[in-house]
């Protein structure tokens, strides 16, 4: 099994390109998983990044798996496959965990240390699990990323600042406002997703008591009822916009409000209007920023205005992320070693059990037969000691493939890692070793404790 990631973010691309790539993001995981070269997928799509984490059955399947994902994205975005392929950076090996852990901890965000991304990483895994596309290695990867994000939040100053894309956007809005007093403002919020929920909470914290919510999906009433806002229907929306002091877009609508439409609605309003567009696929035409009396705050505005964290906090957070990624990689390699060890011991014990059955058939359950079995099991245990130690040593060095190749060349043991690892983990969870290692086929009561 080989886990890899494909990454398209604000760091490398303009947000319009990221938005185009992420069209149909919700269906990419399930569609790509139908490919024979893709064993699992988790998609992380946010306001400024589109990342696919996937598993290929074997190293030689990696390129075909990547191509399958590229083809799915191309089909849904309408972009040529070559364009899609060139837009993504691909991570393999230890770089996959290192990148995801940094992302979940907010170190790769437009607002360094932001809070929302950790929740988005958790929800990406939950969604993949519900859709049945999250393979066990991907589940472990994302769970470890969430633990790392928690460690960074609790052990560094990044967590204490509580910064987020929404908070920086609201700070910008306050700076641009003729009157910075939030308690006197009327806000209209577009969307009912995670960013909309975070926006509603921060508006309340800042004293904004009048928040109307609109959603073309029809979820505004339930969303507003749970958070204290007022749901708007399509018929009520124009009047609410005309009376608003601030519009906040978090929905990613496929039909953004045009500048001419907003100008017409606001034609009779003498008050300043601040428009905050936090949607990757714009909720408002960027041209609204050129209208008289309207100030526009975008994700790019947030990126440019985001404060830099103290160097000490970033260094400590990076250390935590690096250590967590190294530990995760070591555990992954250890699981590979465990699979090889289990396979070798099962092979050896099967041979041993066969020979013991021959002794019993000839001598029965006699003291002599017991002594022979005791000696043979002790000898096999000693013979397995060095190969077991070497398996773990090579895994720690990232050379587990050499060990697997040696098993195949010397003993003809070809290991199907996914199934063997699952068996090994099941044995570990139950506190048992492989059944054949304890003489499960024996007919005579033999004291195996003497072999230890």
């Amino acid at each position: 099994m080989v886990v890899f990631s494909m990454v398209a973010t604000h760091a490398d691309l303009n947000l319009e390109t990221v938005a185009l790539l992420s069209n149909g993001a919700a269906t990419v995981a399930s569609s790509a998983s139908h490919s024979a070269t893709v064993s699992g997928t988790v998609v992380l799509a946010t306001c400024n990044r589109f990342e696919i984490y996937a598993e290929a059955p074997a190293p030689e399947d990696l390129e075909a798996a990547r191509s399958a994902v590229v083809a799915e994205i191309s089909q849904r975005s309408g972009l040529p496959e070559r364009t899609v392929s060139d837009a993504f950076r691909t991570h393999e090996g230890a770089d996959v965990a290192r990148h995801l852990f940094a992302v979940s901890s907010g170190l790769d965000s437009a607002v360094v240390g932001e809070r929302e991304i950790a929740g988005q990483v958790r929800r990406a895994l939950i969604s993949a699990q519900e859709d049945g596309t999250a393979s066990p290695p991907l589940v472990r990867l994302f769970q470890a990323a969430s633990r790392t994000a928690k460690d960074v939040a609790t052990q560094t100053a990044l967590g204490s600042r509580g910064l987020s894309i929404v908070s920086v956007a609201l700070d910008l809005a306050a700076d641009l406002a003729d009157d910075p007093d939030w308690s006197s403002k009327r806000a209209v919020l577009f969307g009912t997703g995670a960013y909309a929920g975070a926006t509603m909470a921060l508006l309340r914290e800042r004293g904004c008591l009048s928040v109307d919510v609109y959603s073309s999906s029809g979820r505004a009433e339930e969303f507003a009822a749970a958070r204290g806002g007022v749901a708007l229907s399509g018929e009520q929306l124009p009047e609410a916009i005309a009376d608003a002091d601030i519009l906040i877009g978090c929905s990613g609508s496929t039909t953004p409000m045009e500048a001419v439409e907003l100008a017409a609605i606001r034609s009779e309003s003498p008050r300043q209007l601040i428009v905050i567009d936090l949607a990757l696929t714009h909720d408002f035409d960027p041209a609204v920023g050129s209208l008289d009396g309207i100030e526009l705050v975008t994700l790019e505005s947030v990126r440019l205005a985001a404060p830099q964290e103290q160097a000490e906090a970033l260094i400590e957070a990076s250390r935590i992320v690096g250590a967590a990624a190294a530990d995760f990689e070591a555990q992954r390699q250890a699981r590979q070693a465990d699979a090889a060890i289990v396979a070798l011991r099962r092979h050896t014990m099967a041979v041993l059990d066969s020979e013991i059955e021959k002794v019993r058939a000839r001598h029965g359950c006699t003291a002599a037969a017991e002594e022979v079995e005791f000696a043979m099991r002790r000898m096999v245990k000693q013979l397995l000691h060095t190969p077991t130690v070497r398996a773990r040593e090579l895994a720690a060095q990232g050379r587990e493939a050499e060990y697997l190749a040696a098993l195949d060349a010397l003993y003809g043991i070809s290991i199907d890692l996914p199934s063997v690892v699952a068996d090994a983990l099941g044995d570990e969870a139950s506190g048992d070793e492989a059944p054949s290692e304890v003489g499960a086929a024996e007919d005579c009561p033999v004291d195996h404790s003497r072999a230890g």
Side-chain angles (χ1 to χ4, degrees):
M1 70 195 78
V2 179
V3 171
F4 66 97
S5 62
M6 297 168 56
V7 175
T9 76
H10 64 93
D12 305 311
L13 305 168
N14 61 63
L15 293 178
E16 280 68 26
T17 301
V18 176
L20 284 173
L21 291 169
S22 61
N23 281 341
T27 59
V28 167
S30 57
S31 298
S33 293
H34 291 153
S35 168
T37 57
V38 180
S39 306
T41 47
V42 178
V43 173
L44 175 62
T46 75
C47 66
N48 53 25
R49 71 179 61 249
F50 181 40
E51 302 186 359
I52 301 96
Y53 293 79
E55 181 190 346
E60 56 268 24
D61 297 320
L62 194 150
E63 190 54 42
R66 187 184 189 279
S67 297
V69 175
V70 166
E72 291 294 338
I73 295 172
S74 173
Q75 181 178 346
R76 282 155 179 74
S77 67
L79 296 172
E81 288 191 17
R82 179 61 181 270
T83 301
V84 173
S85 181
D86 291 346
F88 284 95
R89 284 184 288 119
T90 302
H91 294 298
E92 303 173 30
D95 290 339
V96 177
R98 190 177 300 111
H99 173 76
L100 179 59
F101 292 5
V103 167
S104 67
S105 302
L107 301 187
D108 194 58
S109 297
V111 178
V112 176
E114 64 149 318
R115 296 180 299 183
E116 286 105 343
I117 187 65
Q120 290 166 333
V121 168
R122 287 195 301 272
R123 288 190 291 274
L125 174 59
I126 292 171
S127 178
Q129 289 176 309
E130 291 175 346
D131 294 340
T133 66
S135 63
L138 290 173
V139 171
R140 289 193 290 269
L141 174 68
F142 272 73
Q143 289 175 340
S146 292
R147 289 193 297 270
T148 302
K150 183 177 181 180
D151 289 341
V152 168
T154 57
Q155 297 176 30
T156 73
L158 294 181
S160 62
R161 287 290 300 274
L163 291 175
S164 68
I165 288 175
V166 175
S167 68
V168 174
L170 294 183
D171 288 342
L172 281 174
D175 292 340
L176 293 170
D178 295 334
D179 179 6
D181 182 11
W182 286 96
S183 65
S184 63
K185 297 188 184 306
R186 180 176 182 182
V188 176
L189 177 63
F190 293 76
T192 56
Y195 269 108
T199 299
M200 177 72 88
L202 285 175
L203 285 172
R204 294 298 190 196
E205 285 182 14
R206 296 179 185 221
C208 183
L209 302 178
S210 177
V211 182
D212 296 332
V213 181
Y214 173 75
S215 173
S216 59
S217 67
R219 292 192 291 266
E221 187 170 347
E222 179 183 355
F223 177 91
R227 294 166 176 81
V230 176
L232 294 174
S233 65
E235 293 74 19
Q236 296 170 316
L237 182 61
E239 181 179 353
I241 292 175
D243 293 338
D245 300 292
I246 182 168
L247 305 181
I248 306 175
C250 303
S251 72
S253 171
T254 56
T255 55
M257 178 172 288
E258 299 292 337
V260 64
E261 180 184 1
L262 183 58
I265 294 175
R266 297 285 298 187
S267 61
E268 302 297 325
S269 176
R271 300 198 310 277
Q272 178 195 46
L273 176 67
I274 297 176
V275 177
I276 300 177
D277 195 347
L278 299 181
L280 185 55
T281 54
H282 297 296
D283 279 343
F284 303 94
D285 178 0
V288 304
S290 63
L291 298 176
D292 292 338
I294 295 180
E295 299 285 352
L296 176 63
V297 176
T298 65
L299 286 169
E300 181 63 15
S301 308
V302 170
R303 187 184 69 82
L304 294 173
Q308 293 297 315
E309 293 291 339
Q310 294 181 353
E312 295 83 357
L314 286 175
I315 290 172
E316 177 60 16
S318 297
R319 185 197 65 77
I320 293 172
V321 166
D327 183 60
F328 181 84
E329 179 64 12
Q331 291 180 26
R332 184 195 68 80
Q333 292 171 348
R335 279 191 290 271
Q336 302 272 47
D338 289 344
I341 291 167
V342 168
L344 176 60
R345 294 175 77 175
R346 285 179 174 172
H347 171 84
T348 305
M349 291 300 176
V351 174
L352 173 62
D353 287 341
S354 176
E355 293 303 314
I356 289 175
E357 286 302 314
K358 294 177 183 177
V359 172
R360 291 179 185 145
R362 179 174 299 179
H363 300 287
C365 295
T366 63
E370 181 180 343
E371 288 299 327
V372 170
E373 179 174 354
F374 167 72
M376 292 176 69
R377 289 191 181 278
R378 183 166 186 174
M379 178 187 68
V380 167
K381 183 175 181 180
Q382 292 173 344
L383 289 173
L384 287 173
H385 175 73
T386 298
T388 298
V389 171
R390 286 297 291 156
R392 300 191 187 283
E393 290 175 348
L394 290 171
Q397 299 168 20
R399 299 167 57 193
E400 61 271 18
E402 297 177 28
Y403 192 88
L404 300 182
L407 289 183
D408 190 19
L410 293 174
Y411 300 102
I413 300 175
S414 181
I415 300 176
D416 178 11
L417 282 177
S419 63
V420 176
V421 169
D423 289 345
L425 292 176
D427 293 337
E428 177 183 309
S430 65
D432 297 328
E433 296 187 6
S436 60
E437 294 179 340
V438 293
E442 64 183 326
D443 298 315
C444 303
V446 179
D447 182 7
H448 296 296
S449 64
R450 299 168 57 193

